[in-house]
Amino acid sequence: MKEGEITPGISAEEYISRRKRLLEILPENSVAILAAAPEKMMTDVVPYPYRQDANYLYITGCQQPGGVAVLSHECGLCMFMPETSAHDVIWKGQIAGVDAAPETFKADKAYPMSKIQEILPDMIGRSSKLFHNQETAVQTYTNLEAFQKADFYGAVRNLSRLTHELRWVKSPAELKLMRESASIGCQALLQTMLHSKSHPYEGLLAAKFEYECKMRGAQRMAFNPVVGGGPNAAVIHYSRNDQKIDDGDLVLMDVGCELHGYVSDMTRTWPPCGSFSSLEEALYDLILQTNKECLELCMPGTSLLQIHHYSVGMLRKGLKEIGIVNSDGTDPYNELNPTSIGHYLGMDVHDSSVVTYERPLEPGVVITIEPGIYIPLSFSGPERFRGIGIRIEDEVLITETGYEVLTGSLPKEIKHIESLLNNFSSETGRENHINAKAATS
């Protein structure tokens, strides 16, 4: 980290500014409570990889479990920090304790967690409204009589209604991390696409993407990769990733990585064999043109809902022209695409979920544009289209004058994809032949 940063890329001044902005929209005489995400256990002694709650991280910058932060006009930021024992240090290592709260995280006050039952009730009792992070609420404070009394009298609110507003528009420092996260994801997915012809297995492609991301500095995947080959591509949140991709089938990869708390999210669909069929090409081109036209709608003042409605009209029209949907009065569109055209993106994959899709977009907001069609094997329409799933997803930053595609380096034109796959395959084959010949001479 650079000097003055609490987390890589985010300075202490920015965290302090976030707290001030939250206090500005926090009603007078109110208290906000944020608990760190709890550890989740795989077995009795083995934890799952830890990921901090986005709201807690956004306000404190602290990446470890076990803490509770309290924010109010009266005390500023007060952090209750976890305590440790010699046994814990042996098995888990050192943790950030009370001293780290003011020194590292710039808290105004700090106490060990053992003090929460004698300090927090008074803070709650003096407030008229209580906001807390419902998603990570812990009994450490919800069991307090003062909290339960406030809840009984209807004074408890969900803090996400405030924090999601703050997180919706990204700062320059946040956008720098999001650009880097998108760049890592694009490079990793491109390498995975090139790898797919010689290794047409869902699991291998998922592993290849994760490897390439982590080699470039990402800490983790943004979500479990979706690697759907053939009919599996028509399952929107397919996650088994354990099948071979048959020759001639398409593969859909919906993937993303996380860099210092900020995620990327992108999807490409391609034929590992190196060539789209004419049927696949017609459907792919419809999705591609929808993607492009929806990108042109991305600008301040437009809403995600408006872009969604436009995409639905375009896809419906195209599906009829291709012959997937008949003009007999029935409309199976929602069966073929029950999803939105996109979502907000940031610290979480579906970021600022409290903010409605009807909200006019503003500069600094990051969204996805991801038209797709998912035709299940059970589809009652023409048999030749069954089992095909295609999605093209880009990350888009809303700017003062329009938009910036953060995933623009990732190919999506049919001719570019086919050329890349076939030229790379030829070069790899030639190299393998030369190496094999050298080994026997």
Side-chain angles (χ1 to χ4, degrees):
M1 290 189 294
K2 296 178 181 177
E3 186 176 352
E5 291 181 342
I6 291 181
T7 53
I10 308 293
S11 67
E13 286 78 9
E14 179 150 339
Y15 281 104
I16 292 169
S17 174
R18 292 173 180 179
R19 297 162 196 168
K20 289 180 179 177
R21 288 168 56 218
L22 180 54
L23 284 173
E24 287 172 1
I25 59 176
L26 192 69
E28 285 294 332
N29 200 32
S30 297
V31 170
I33 303 175
L34 302 95
E39 267 192 314
K40 297 180 181 179
M41 304 303 292
M42 188 181 301
T43 69
D44 57 344
V45 295
V46 180
Y48 284 103
Y50 184 73
R51 183 181 189 265
Q52 186 59 276
D53 171 74
N55 284 331
Y56 184 84
L57 179 60
Y58 184 79
I59 295 300
T60 68
C62 183
Q63 292 273 14
Q64 72 181 8
V68 172
V70 182
L71 195 69
S72 73
H73 296 281
E74 182 182 347
C75 71
L77 177 66
C78 174
M79 294 182 71
F80 292 92
M81 302 297 284
E83 300 164 87
T84 190
S85 66
H87 178 270
D88 291 332
V89 171
I90 291 172
W91 287 94
K92 298 180 180 180
Q94 294 286 349
I95 65 165
V98 173
D99 291 342
E103 292 174 7
T104 302
F105 305 114
K106 310 306 177 185
D108 299 294
K109 296 182 180 180
Y111 303 97
M113 281 296 295
S114 59
K115 295 284 187 179
I116 197 169
Q117 293 186 348
E118 63 182 81
I119 295 171
L120 187 55
D122 287 340
M123 298 172 72
I124 294 174
R126 292 195 301 270
S127 65
S128 57
K129 281 193 178 66
L130 176 60
F131 293 81
H132 78 125
N133 203 25
Q134 290 182 352
E135 291 77 11
T136 58
V138 291
Q139 293 181 347
T140 308
Y141 72 83
T142 60
N143 281 350
L144 294 174
E145 183 180 351
F147 181 92
Q148 294 181 352
K149 183 178 178 180
D151 193 27
F152 179 80
Y153 286 106
V156 177
R157 304 284 189 274
N158 187 357
L159 184 62
S160 291
R161 296 184 179 277
L162 304 181
T163 54
H164 285 198
E165 286 285 339
L166 300 181
R167 287 167 45 193
W168 190 56
V169 176
K170 309 302 186 287
S171 72
E174 290 179 295
L175 291 177
K176 185 175 186 295
L177 286 173
M178 292 201 69
R179 285 190 179 94
E180 291 175 3
S181 181
S183 176
I184 289 172
C186 286
Q187 294 174 62
L189 185 51
L190 178 59
Q191 292 301 315
T192 305
M193 292 172 72
L194 297 176
H195 188 74
S196 64
K197 193 166 189 176
S198 57
H199 298 81
Y201 295 86
E202 295 171 348
L204 294 183
L205 299 186
K208 175 68 171 175
F209 179 79
E210 182 169 359
Y211 167 80
E212 296 290 348
C213 284
K214 289 187 173 179
M215 288 297 291
R216 289 168 171 79
Q219 284 75 51
R220 61 178 66 85
M221 297 296 91
F223 50 91
N224 191 47
V226 173
V227 189
N232 295 333
V235 181
I236 297 169
H237 282 172
Y238 177 78
S239 60
R240 285 177 52 183
N241 301 340
D242 62 358
Q243 301 295 303
K244 184 180 186 300
I245 302 162
D246 292 334
D247 191 42
D249 278 350
L250 299 176
V251 60
L252 181 156
M253 281 194 70
D254 182 0
V255 289
C257 64
E258 182 177 325
L259 179 71
H260 305 311
Y262 291 84
V263 301
S264 54
D265 185 10
M266 61 205 72
T267 305
R268 290 296 185 265
T269 309
W270 72 93
C273 68
S275 179
F276 288 87
S277 70
S278 57
L279 184 149
E280 292 166 348
E281 190 170 328
L283 185 55
Y284 185 94
D285 189 61
L286 170 61
I287 306 302
L288 179 61
Q289 296 311 313
T290 304
N291 171 277
K292 290 179 176 180
E293 291 198 23
C294 287
L295 287 176
E296 293 301 320
L297 299 177
C298 295
M299 63 185 72
T302 307
S303 71
L304 258 178
L305 187 60
Q306 288 174 313
I307 300 173
H308 173 72
H309 288 327
Y310 182 87
S311 72
V312 171
M314 189 170 177
L315 290 172
R316 274 197 169 115
K317 181 175 180 290
L319 291 173
K320 287 181 180 179
E321 292 174 351
I322 293 173
I324 296 176
V325 175
N326 297 321
S327 302
D328 59 359
T330 60
D331 184 5
Y333 176 81
N334 288 336
E335 177 189 353
L336 303 180
N337 185 358
T339 70
S340 169
I341 188 61
H343 52 81
Y344 305 128
L345 192 69
M347 298 183 80
D348 289 325
V349 177
H350 285 242
D351 203 52
S352 297
S353 57
V354 170
V355 179
T356 173
Y357 287 174
E358 296 177 3
R359 175 81 69 87
L361 297 170
E362 298 178 20
V365 173
V366 180
I367 63 174
T368 64
I369 292 295
E370 48 181 302
I373 291 296
Y374 318 95
I375 309 173
L377 293 172
S378 59
F379 180 55
S380 59
E383 184 177 353
R384 65 186 182 278
F385 293 106
R386 294 174 190 168
I388 296 177
I390 297 174
R391 176 163 67 250
I392 303 171
E393 178 183 17
D394 282 307
E395 286 181 36
V396 185
L397 164 64
I398 305 301
T399 66
E400 294 285 349
T401 57
Y403 68 93
E404 174 188 343
V405 181
L406 303 184
T407 48
S409 65
L410 198 55
K412 58 185 177 183
E413 299 286 345
I414 288 175
K415 62 182 180 181
H416 294 159
I417 291 173
E418 291 184 338
S419 177
L420 278 167
L421 291 172
N422 292 314
N423 289 339
F424 178 80
S425 177
S426 298
E427 289 298 322
T428 302
R430 187 179 299 111
E431 184 178 326
N432 290 341
H433 176 74
I434 293 171
N435 290 339
K437 188 174 181 180
T440 57
S441 60

